Amino acid sequence: MSSPPGVFFLRCLVIVALASHAEGEMYTSLQDVKQAINVERKLIEYLRTYIDSELERLEDIKRFYAKVSDLHTILYKGPAAATANPLVAFTLIKRLHSEWLNVIHSNEAQENIQTLRSKYEEEEADLPKGEDLRGAAKGLMRLQDVYSLQVSSLVKGRFQRITNGGVIDVCSPAVSVSLSGDDCFLVGKVAYEQEDYYHSVQWLEESVRLFRGAGGQWSPENEGTLEDALDHLAFSHFKTGNVSYALSLSHELLHHDPMNGRVLQNVEKYEKLLGSAGPSRECSLRRPSSSYLRTRDTYERLCLTKGSQ
């Protein structure tokens, strides 16, 4: 009896996850994911407490700002106003000597962030490790390969591939999540570090596109920036033979970081290569060979078949 395409997709997804988990590369068992959800729920509560404490602190600072601002507006209009009233002079000197000092050197902000850090450290043993994160990224790339999924669709939270010139949905999950430029950068960086430029180019292209769309704006939770993505993407294209595009991306990177000596050296090298190589030829990305799945082609054909094999 055949199975619905979505069900079969999920079965193969589990196989991909288990194959990766056997190599210690993934953090995707159901129990692990449930545990991670519970840990993040606690962290959200801790962050809410921190925000409330910081808001109270900022209200105190805003009150102090309003006080000193109003005093300057009301009391110091005339050239001799500050010295005419000894009470005004006394309060001015007191503010400058101690009140501003107490506000600037308040320990409250440090205490608030230290409390949040302590709560985070209490949960740290249950958090995914760096190898788990890299494994999850590798799992995404394997899923991409097994089902010939479009990276541009995965970024939007959709599992799609091109078949006979048309886009088809391989699976429509009940819960969808889109990826950020930083998410794509991390996946691309994992591929880059493995010298897997076939995947790094695809994921870093999406990362650069999303970072550009956000105006290159950095967020505190991000690991990467537009400059990081451009840097890795330029070298990935160079390694695949697309020197002209690597040069173009490097020029864009220098626009953001004009004093980057390493990138300046790369630009000089790319220009020399292009000058000596004549007209550039179009380069095509090729998927790297696999050593972790000897029967990869047969396995992927099985997963692409809609049935109950």
Side-chain angles (χ1 to χ4, degrees), residues 212-250:
R212 282 174 179 159
Q217 189 173 12
W218 180 79
S219 298
E221 69 270 20
N222 286 355
E223 178 178 327
T225 63
L226 173 60
E227 290 85 346
D228 293 327
L230 286 169
D231 194 6
H232 285 73
L233 180 59
F235 192 74
S236 294
H237 274 296
F238 165 68
K239 293 298 287 186
T240 63
N242 196 344
V243 182
S244 61
Y245 194 37
L247 177 61
S248 175
L249 291 167
S250 296

Side-chain angles (χ1 to χ4, degrees), residues 12 35 49-50 93 95 104 115 127 147 177 186 191 196 201 218-219 222 226 231 244 267 274 293 303:
C12 284
Q35 178 176 308
T49 301
Y50 168 75
I93 293 170
R95 283 198 308 278
I104 298 301
T115 298
L127 296 175
Y147 289 96
V177 61
L186 190 140
D196 173 6
V201 163
W218 180 79
S219 298
N222 286 355
L226 173 60
D231 194 6
S244 61
V267 165
L274 289 171
L293 202 57
C303 282

Side-chain angles (χ1 to χ4, degrees), residues 149-188:
L149 299 175
Q150 291 182 293
V151 175
S152 58
S153 296
L154 285 171
V155 169
K156 299 173 185 175
R158 304 174 71 176
F159 297 86
Q160 296 178 322
R161 70 169 178 263
I162 301 292
T163 301
N164 298 325
V167 178
I168 67 167
D169 289 316
V170 177
C171 177
S172 298
V175 178
S176 180
V177 61
S178 59
L179 302 182
S180 68
D182 191 58
D183 296 332
C184 296
F185 171 71
L186 190 140
V187 179

Side-chain angles (χ1 to χ4, degrees), residues 104-166:
I104 298 301
H105 292 281
S106 171
N107 291 326
E108 192 175 1
Q110 184 61 35
E111 290 169 358
N112 289 342
I113 193 64
Q114 187 56 50
T115 298
L116 178 62
R117 286 172 180 161
S118 297
K119 291 295 185 182
Y120 176 84
E121 289 167 1
E122 288 177 10
E123 309 298 333
E124 203 161 11
D126 294 326
L127 296 175
K129 305 297 187 291
E131 62 189 32
D132 299 314
L133 184 56
R134 289 188 293 272
K138 292 175 186 177
L140 277 181
M141 289 184 276
R142 288 191 190 153
L143 195 64
Q144 168 196 347
D145 291 346
V146 167
Y147 289 96
S148 302
L149 299 175
Q150 291 182 293
V151 175
S152 58
S153 296
L154 285 171
V155 169
K156 299 173 185 175
R158 304 174 71 176
F159 297 86
Q160 296 178 322
R161 70 169 178 263
I162 301 292
T163 301
N164 298 325

